[in-house]
C-alpha cells in the first residue's frame, strides 16, 4: 500500500517509492498548501485549503465561484446516513462532507490523478470542488450527482454485493435497521424470517429494500446499457489503479405516467428531471428519468478492513470488504 508520504502521479498510480526523496513530513507540508480566508455562511473563518490549484480548475469548469461556496453554513451539518457517521450538509448543487483522518490522507495522496480523472468528464465519479481544514476538522466539497428533486421514486446505494441497499422506495425514505453483534439478543437477529411475530416493520422494509437493490433489473436501452457499463468498468479500473475500495454507485430515478408524459401533462419537477437526465426509459407504463454517480471512493485497505474481512468470512456473499485489486471485478 502507498506510504504516508506518497505522491500522486498523473497516470492514476500512486508513487509508493517517494522518488522525490522527501520525508513524509516535508511532503505533507507541500500538499497542505497555504492558509486562506474562507467565508462560511455569514461568518469569515480561517481555513487551510489543500491542493486548491487542482480543485479550482474543476470549480472554474463548472462555474462554481467563491461566492457559491460561501453560501454554506456549518449549522446545517448533520448525519450523512453512512456507516462512518460522517456529517454532511447539502447546498445548491454541492455537498460538504466531513472527512476522517484516513479519507483526508487518502485524498492528499491521490489529488492529482483524481482531479485529472474528474476533469476528463468521461466518468461517473462525483466531482470534488475543494478540500480544506477548519476548526481542526477536514472536509471535502463535492458535486451532488443527484439534482435537487423533492421526491425520488427510488434511490439505491449499490456496490454489487450484499451491502446493496434502498435508501428510498415508492417515494418514501427507508431508514437503515442493521443487524449488529451488540443486538444479538433480539429474537429475530439470527434470521430474517418475516413471519416472525416480533420482526419489526422497519427492519422488514429495510431488508426488502436490500433484496430489491441486490436483484435490481433496470430497463435501459442497449445503447444506454453499453455506455453505463463502459463508464463503470473504466472508473473501476481507475480506482483499482489508485488502490481504493468500498465505493458505491448512487442510482436514483423519478417517474411519471407514460400517458401524462405523452399528453404533456407531467409535473414541473418531472419536466426538470427530463431536461437534466442523460438516461430515460419506459417500464410498466411509467417513464423514468435516471441519475447516477460513483461516490465514497477514498477508502484504503487497512488493518480494520483486514479484520472486518475475517469477521465476515461466514457472512452471505458477495462481501463489500475485499481488497482494492478484487473490488472492481465485483463492482
Amino acid at each position: 500500500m502507498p506510504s504516508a508520504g506518497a505522491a500522486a502521479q498523473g497516470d492514476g498510480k500512486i508513487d509508493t517509492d517517494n522518488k522525490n526523496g522527501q520525508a513524509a513530513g516535508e511532503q505533507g507540508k507541500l500538499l497542505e498548501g497555504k492558509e486562506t480566508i474562507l467565508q462560511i455562511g455569514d461568518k469569515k473563518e480561517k481555513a487551510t485549503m489543500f491542493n486548491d490549484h487542482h480543485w479550482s480548475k474543476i470549480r472554474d469548469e463548472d462555474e462554481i465561484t467563491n461566492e457559491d461556496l460561501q453560501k454554506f453554513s456549518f449549522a446545517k451539518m448533520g448525519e450523512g446516513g453512512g456507516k462512518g457517521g460522517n456529517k454532511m450538509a447539502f447546498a445548491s448543487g454541492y455537498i460538504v462532507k466531513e472527512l476522517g483522518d484516513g479519507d483526508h490522507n487518502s485524498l492528499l495522496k491521490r489529488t492529482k490523478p483524481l482531479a485529472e480523472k474528474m476533469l476528463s468528464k468521461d466518468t461517473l465519479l462525483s466531482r470534488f470542488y475543494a478540500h480544506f481544514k477548519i476548526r481542526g476538522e477536514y472536509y471535502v466539497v463535492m458535486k451532488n450527482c443527484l439534482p435537487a428533486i423533492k421526491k425520488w421514486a427510488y434511490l439505491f446505494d449499490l456496490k454489487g454485493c450484499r451491502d446493496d441497499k434502498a435508501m428510498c422506495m415508492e417515494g418514501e425514505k427507508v431508514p437503515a435497521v442493521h443487524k449488529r453483534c451488540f443486538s444479538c439478543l433480539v429474537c429475530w437477529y439470527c434470521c430474517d424470517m418475516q413471519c416472525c411475530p416480533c420482526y419489526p416493520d422497519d427492519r422488514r422494509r429495510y431488508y426488502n429494500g436490500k433484496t430489491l437493490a441486490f436483484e435490481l433489473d433496470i430497463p435501459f436501452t442497449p445503447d444506454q446499457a453499453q455506455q453505463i457499463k463502459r463508464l463503470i468498468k473504466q472508473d473501476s479500473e481507475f480506482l483499482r489503479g489508485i488502490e481504493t475500495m468500498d465505493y458505491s454507485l448512487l442510482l436514483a430515478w423519478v417517474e411519471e405516467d407514460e400517458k401524462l408524459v405523452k399528453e404533456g401533462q407531467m409535473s414541473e419537477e418531472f419536466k426538470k428531471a427530463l431536461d437534466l437526465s442523460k438516461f430515460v426509459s419506459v417500464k410498466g407504463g411509467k417513464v423514468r428519468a435516471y441519475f447516477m454517480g460513483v461516490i465514497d471512493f477514498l477508502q484504503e485497505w487497512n488493518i480494520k478492513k483486514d479484520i472486518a474481512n475475517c469477521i465476515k468470512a461466514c457472512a452471505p456473499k458477495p462481501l463489500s470488504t475485499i481488497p482494492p485489486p478484487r473490488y472492481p471485478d465485483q463492482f
Side-chain angles (χ1 to χ4, degrees):
M1 288 300 297
S3 64
Q9 302 300 301
D11 59 0
K13 301 293 184 180
I14 303 299
D15 178 13
T16 55
D17 298 326
N18 199 5
K19 294 178 181 177
N20 293 328
Q22 295 166 304
E26 295 172 334
Q27 183 73 1
K29 291 177 182 177
L30 288 175
L31 289 167
E32 193 165 292
K34 63 180 181 180
E35 193 171 79
T36 187
I37 298 294
L38 179 68
Q39 181 176 328
I40 300 180
D42 56 355
K43 298 180 181 180
K44 290 184 177 180
E45 303 183 61
K46 285 186 176 181
T48 301
M49 305 298 292
F50 300 99
N51 295 306
D52 206 50
H53 56 291
H54 287 294
W55 307 125
S56 62
K57 294 176 183 177
I58 302 177
R59 293 201 301 271
D60 290 344
E61 191 169 272
D62 284 1
E63 299 181 344
I64 301 294
T65 66
N66 290 340
E67 288 72 24
D68 290 327
L69 295 182
Q70 291 167 7
K71 297 174 183 177
F72 165 70
S73 172
F74 276 102
K76 297 179 181 178
M77 296 290 285
E79 291 292 327
K83 292 181 180 178
N86 298 77
K87 293 181 178 180
M88 296 173 61
F90 294 80
S92 179
Y94 66 86
I95 297 170
V96 179
K97 181 179 181 181
E98 182 183 42
L99 295 179
D101 289 348
D103 281 354
H104 163 68
N105 290 322
S106 174
L107 183 51
L108 283 182
K109 289 186 283 186
R110 295 168 171 84
T111 292
K112 187 176 179 181
L114 279 169
E116 289 176 349
K117 180 67 174 175
M118 292 171 186
L119 282 168
S120 75
K121 292 187 178 179
D122 193 33
T123 178
L124 291 173
L125 298 186
S126 183
R127 287 184 145 201
F128 287 172
Y129 291 142
H131 177 200
F132 65 93
K133 178 177 74 173
I134 196 166
R135 305 177 192 169
E137 302 291 340
Y138 302 112
Y139 299 90
V140 65
V141 181
M142 57 185 178
K143 182 177 180 178
N144 191 345
C145 57
L146 305 180
I149 298 294
K150 293 180 182 178
K151 191 173 184 178
W152 293 103
Y154 287 84
L155 170 59
F156 296 97
D157 184 306
L158 306 174
K159 298 173 182 283
C161 69
R162 294 292 178 178
D163 276 358
D164 290 355
K165 63 182 179 181
M167 302 172 70
C168 180
M169 292 194 300
E170 299 177 338
E172 301 294 333
K173 291 185 178 179
V174 181
V177 182
H178 301 291
K179 289 204 285 189
R180 295 287 186 258
C181 58
F182 49 77
S183 61
C184 61
L185 296 181
V186 297
C187 68
W188 54 270
Y189 180 82
C190 293
C191 68
D192 274 299
M193 294 178 62
Q194 303 205 32
C195 60
C196 178
C198 61
Y199 198 77
D201 289 339
D202 50 358
R203 171 63 188 180
R204 178 180 290 107
R205 181 170 169 78
Y206 180 64
Y207 181 78
N208 289 343
K210 286 178 66 67
T211 302
L212 176 62
F214 186 66
E215 299 173 353
L216 196 60
D217 185 15
I218 304 292
F220 291 116
T221 67
D223 287 345
Q224 289 175 341
Q226 183 178 8
Q227 182 182 358
I228 293 168
K229 288 178 180 179
R230 179 185 64 82
L231 288 171
I232 290 176
K233 180 175 177 57
Q234 186 173 280
D235 288 341
S236 298
E237 289 303 321
F238 169 79
L239 294 170
R240 192 201 306 267
I242 65 170
E243 300 178 331
T244 62
M245 46 79 68
D246 214 17
Y247 36 89
S248 301
L249 178 73
L250 202 62
L251 171 66
W253 70 78
V254 290
E255 56 188 28
E256 185 67 274
D257 288 340
E258 185 178 5
K259 182 180 178 181
L260 293 178
V261 175
K262 289 180 177 179
E263 294 174 352
Q265 297 180 14
M266 52 192 159
S267 67
E268 289 300 318
E269 185 161 80
F270 192 74
K271 287 181 182 178
K272 173 186 173 183
L274 283 181
D275 289 339
L276 295 174
S277 178
K278 296 180 180 178
F279 306 104
V280 178
S281 71
V282 180
K283 182 177 182 179
K286 298 284 188 179
V287 179
R288 295 178 177 178
Y290 299 92
F291 299 89
M292 65 189 74
V294 176
I295 61 170
D296 297 340
F297 42 79
L298 296 177
Q299 179 64 57
E300 296 180 310
W301 186 261
N302 53 35
I303 187 63
K304 290 182 179 180
K305 293 296 180 183
D306 232 341
I307 294 172
N309 181 259
C310 293
I311 292 174
K312 294 180 179 179
C314 297
K317 305 297 188 294
L319 301 175
S320 65
T321 313
I322 56 176
R326 290 164 45 202
Y327 193 91
D329 301 323
Q330 179 173 284
F331 185 72

